[in-house]
């Protein structure tokens, strides 16, 4: 793996209250282990060597547990998005000094059983400034929000999904730093809005994934993720 990974782990996680009133979502235990450590262990197994954690609410607790990442076999650095939350796009833009000109992005509440190297290769081969992994969803896990045909993303629209959208954002992306540097706003902004504009201009590559993803953004998702890890004996 050539690319480093930015992990967006700065949200308030209100859907997981009361669990996340005193700890950040990344430290919620899943089958007996803080979720962030499961993520980092998996990234190491995927060949990732460097991660940047975009942390916010109670982010110092994450740093106390993860440290420099050496216990997980990675090099980990931190970008603070607190007390003024800058949104997912703004948090990434703040972290750019710690990242390379191109990098992978994933969310701090997602576990994605996918070949990261294949995603990286697809991004390089696409010649486009960003790539989104997608999964055929048909509103099964959440509201479908991607129009994906012939291997191409025609539109991604999280805020106003359309009836003919059968796919969903899988949660792993790749992006060029220049896209975030060119963002006009000086305030908070959402990565989803950046992806939407890129998709409409034909600059968002797509990579279809067939494995189910797991997330701990809700109590239901947390229970399903715990069952997944227990079933694997992890």
């Amino acid at each position: 793996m050539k690319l480093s990974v930015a992990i967006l782990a700065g949200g308030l996680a209100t859907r997981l209250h009361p669990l996340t009133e005193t700890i950040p979502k990344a430290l919620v235990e899943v089958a007996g282990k803080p979720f962030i450590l499961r993520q980092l262990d998996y990234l190491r197994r995927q060949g990732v060597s460097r991660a940047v954690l975009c942390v916010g609410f109670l982010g110092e607790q994450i740093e106390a547990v993860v440290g420099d990442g050496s216990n997980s076999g990675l090099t980990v650095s931190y970008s603070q998005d607190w007390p003024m939350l800058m949104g997912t796009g703004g948090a990434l833009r703040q972290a750019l000094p710690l990242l390379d000109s191109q990098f992978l992005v994933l969310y701090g509440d997602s576990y994605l059983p996918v070949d990261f190297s294949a995603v990286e290769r697809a991004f390089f081969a696409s010649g486009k400034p960003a790539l989104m992994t997608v999964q055929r969803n048909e509103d099964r896990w959440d509201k479908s929000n991607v129009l994906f045909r012939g291997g191409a993303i025609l539109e991604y629209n999280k805020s106003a999904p359309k009836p003919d959208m059968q796919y969903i954002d899988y949660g792993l992306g790749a992006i060029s730093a220049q896209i975030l540097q060119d963002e006009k706003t000086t305030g908070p902004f959402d990565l989803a809005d950046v992806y939407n504009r890129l998709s409409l201009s034909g600059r968002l590559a797509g990579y279809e994934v067939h494995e189910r993803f797991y997330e701990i953004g809700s109590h239901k998702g947390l229970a399903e993720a715990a069952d997944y890890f227990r079933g694997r004996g992890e």
Side-chain angles (χ1 to χ4, degrees), residues 40-113:
L40 294 175
D41 286 347
Y42 185 65
L43 291 182
R44 176 184 50 77
R45 296 200 301 271
Q46 289 281 332
V48 173
S49 61
R50 193 158 59 88
V52 175
L53 301 187
C54 299
V55 298
F57 179 61
L58 302 177
E60 66 280 359
Q61 294 185 20
I62 299 175
E63 190 165 357
V65 170
V66 174
D68 63 3
S70 56
N71 288 338
S72 298
L74 297 166
T75 299
V76 175
S77 50
Y78 300 86
S79 178
Q80 182 70 38
D81 185 31
W82 188 260
M84 182 181 174
L85 292 173
M86 295 300 292
T88 50
L92 285 175
R93 185 167 61 184
Q94 287 187 161
L96 289 182
L98 303 171
L99 291 159
D100 297 324
S101 60
Q102 298 171 308
F103 55 92
L104 298 175
V105 184
L106 62 87
Y107 296 96
D109 60 2
S110 299
Y111 191 89
L112 312 173

Side-chain angles (χ1 to χ4, degrees), residues 172-191:
L172 175 64
I175 193 165
S176 299
Q178 192 65 48
I179 293 296
L180 298 167
Q181 290 167 347
D182 290 345
E183 183 68 26
K184 299 287 193 292
T185 179
T186 56
F189 65 97
D190 197 325
L191 182 61

Side-chain angles (χ1 to χ4, degrees), residues 23 32 46 50 54 76 97 113 132 157 176 206 210 213 215 220-221:
I23 63 168
Q46 289 281 332
R50 193 158 59 88
C54 299
V76 175
M132 174 184 286
N157 199 324
S176 299
H210 301 282
F213 63 84
E215 52 79 24
K220 179 176 181 290

